Amino acid sequence: MKSDREMIASVMHEVDEYERRNKMFKKKTAMSIAAIVCILVCLGTAVGAVTEYFNFGGIMTPTDIRESILNAGSAEGVEEFNKEYEKTEDPFSVAARESGAGAHIILDYEDSIEYTDVIDEDEGYRFELKSVTRATQKKNVMVDGSIADGTAAYEWQISDGYYALVDISRCDGEKLGENDKARIGYYWSYLLAGYDPWTTNLHFRGYTVHCYSDDYAEHYAIEITDMMPFAGTDFALVAFGMDFDGDRGPVDPSIDTVYADSEGKIELVNEDEYFGALLRFSVPDKFASEDEHYAEKYFEATPSQLEKWFEGYVNPKWE
């Protein structure tokens, strides 16, 4: 889990990005900032520390959201899930229990898509996608009201989700030392081939990331549920290293860090300037939405807008 300091820095960077790109996503800005604050609260970030950085006006403060979540009701199946969740010894479930994260998961390893060749390396570390695995999960879902006017009401609900399981280890196969564990801290970004990386990352970022470590690896479970209906288009997860002690702050997908083209190519650029890796993969077409207009509905954009946003992203110097 990220520290309070890291999470605050991440959110401040997100707000700067929203303001910079406000003309493109004007109607989404307030919703997105409020959603990030809700995520922070669900992940257990210090409410007071976050609140002092923001002036939300009419939008619910983190304290308001926390109170709403604490008073959340429960939908059918929650009690049964809780019993199973408390018994399971799966490391990701244990990590979720110990962290108090907003989403609790029980992974079904028998319902997995296995990978053996989705690997990248950087600065002596190996990143490997092991599987995409289905999970039963319990989440707080807003069922009534609005964050903007302070009337949001929440309910615990059970749903299916999909998680990319990624291992990060040393390239030399040695045990992780204390310096390694301090070094391995990532800001995950979410990309779709043929789509503007900033657009996809805006919509997919903020979902649950669980992590635990052993002597040889850091193990991540990264939720990609909302990406699955885009099956047929290649996915990419990018792990950008944290740099909170430097002047740059968190790295984001931009024309300075990611190259994309209209043929669906995605790759990292200027890699000497940051710590990161890109894992590109696909999932079976059976997960794809049958709605041919799904992308426009999901991103709330017309086809011409999606095309224009992508054209505005592509960096011609890399073509």
Side-chain angles (χ1 to χ4, degrees):
M1 298 299 295
K2 298 178 183 177
S3 68
D4 294 340
R5 176 167 166 262
E6 291 172 339
M7 292 295 288
I8 292 166
S10 298
V11 175
M12 290 304 296
H13 180 72
E14 289 293 334
V15 173
D16 290 341
E17 286 296 301
Y18 296 143
E19 291 176 347
R20 181 174 67 82
R21 302 288 290 269
N22 187 37
K23 291 182 180 180
M24 183 184 294
F25 287 98
K26 186 177 293 182
K27 71 175 181 176
K28 290 184 178 287
T29 302
M31 293 171 57
S32 300
I33 295 173
I36 289 172
V37 175
C38 183
I39 291 160
L40 288 172
V41 176
C42 289
L43 292 177
T45 304
V47 171
V50 177
T51 305
E52 68 183 67
Y53 282 87
F54 296 92
N55 178 10
F56 290 98
I59 299 175
M60 292 180 77
T61 67
T63 301
D64 295 330
I65 298 172
R66 182 176 181 274
E67 289 302 314
S68 294
I69 290 173
L70 289 175
N71 294 321
S74 294
E76 184 178 353
V78 170
E79 185 176 346
E80 291 78 5
F81 176 92
N82 288 343
K83 292 177 181 178
E84 184 66 25
Y85 178 71
E86 290 302 322
K87 292 188 301 182
T88 181
E89 293 301 317
D90 179 78
F92 286 112
S93 297
V94 172
R97 287 201 303 262
E98 292 177 349
S99 69
H104 311 303
I105 63 173
I106 301 174
L107 290 164
D108 180 2
Y109 293 99
E110 294 184 0
D111 191 354
S112 292
I113 307 162
E114 306 289 341
Y115 301 87
T116 59
D117 58 354
V118 182
I119 299 168
D120 198 3
E121 296 180 355
D122 193 28
E123 298 186 18
Y125 294 94
R126 174 187 172 95
F127 301 72
E128 181 175 4
L129 174 67
K130 306 295 286 187
S131 71
V132 169
T133 298
R134 190 184 67 82
T136 304
Q137 56 189 2
K138 182 182 78 170
K139 285 192 173 186
N140 257 304
V141 178
M142 190 172 72
V143 293
D144 195 16
S146 166
I147 292 175
D149 64 16
T151 61
Y154 291 84
E155 179 180 74
W156 288 108
Q157 294 184 0
I158 305 302
S159 62
D160 286 341
Y162 286 88
Y163 285 77
L165 305 189
V166 177
D167 285 356
I168 303 174
S169 59
R170 290 173 55 119
C171 291
D172 60 14
E174 295 296 320
K175 289 184 178 181
L176 297 176
E178 290 304 314
N179 290 337
D180 295 312
K181 292 183 179 181
R183 181 73 174 89
I184 300 178
Y186 298 100
Y187 196 54
W188 292 97
S189 295
Y190 306 77
L191 313 181
L192 294 176
Y195 289 82
D196 167 22
W198 191 89
T199 302
T200 60
N201 198 44
L202 170 68
H203 286 78
F204 298 137
R205 176 180 286 171
Y207 290 98
T208 307
V209 177
H210 293 293
C211 177
Y212 75 93
S213 62
D214 55 32
D215 287 343
Y216 289 93
E218 293 275 351
H219 307 275
Y220 285 85
I222 304 158
E223 186 178 359
I224 59 168
T225 306
D226 275 11
M227 297 176 74
M228 297 298 280
F230 290 89
T233 296
D234 278 5
F235 302 167
L237 294 174
V238 180
F240 286 123
M242 299 289 187
D243 184 29
F244 292 99
D245 295 326
D247 296 328
R248 185 181 62 226
V251 178
D252 254 339
S254 70
I255 59 174
D256 296 320
T257 58
V258 178
Y259 168 72
D261 65 20
S262 58
E263 301 303 316
K265 185 177 182 180
I266 308 174
E267 63 183 27
L268 296 182
V269 298
N270 300 324
E271 293 185 72
D272 292 340
E273 299 178 9
Y274 53 85
F275 180 22
L278 185 149
L279 299 172
R280 179 169 178 158
F281 61 101
S282 61
V283 298
D285 288 348
K286 69 178 183 178
F287 293 102
S289 171
E290 296 180 357
D291 185 351
E292 62 181 5
H293 300 291
Y294 183 81
E296 296 99 87
K297 293 175 181 177
Y298 183 83
F299 294 120
E300 296 184 21
T302 64
S304 61
Q305 284 176 319
L306 289 173
E307 183 178 357
K308 186 176 296 184
W309 292 345
F310 182 79
E311 289 175 351
Y313 170 81
V314 174
N315 189 338
K317 71 181 181 181
W318 293 104
E319 290 190 307

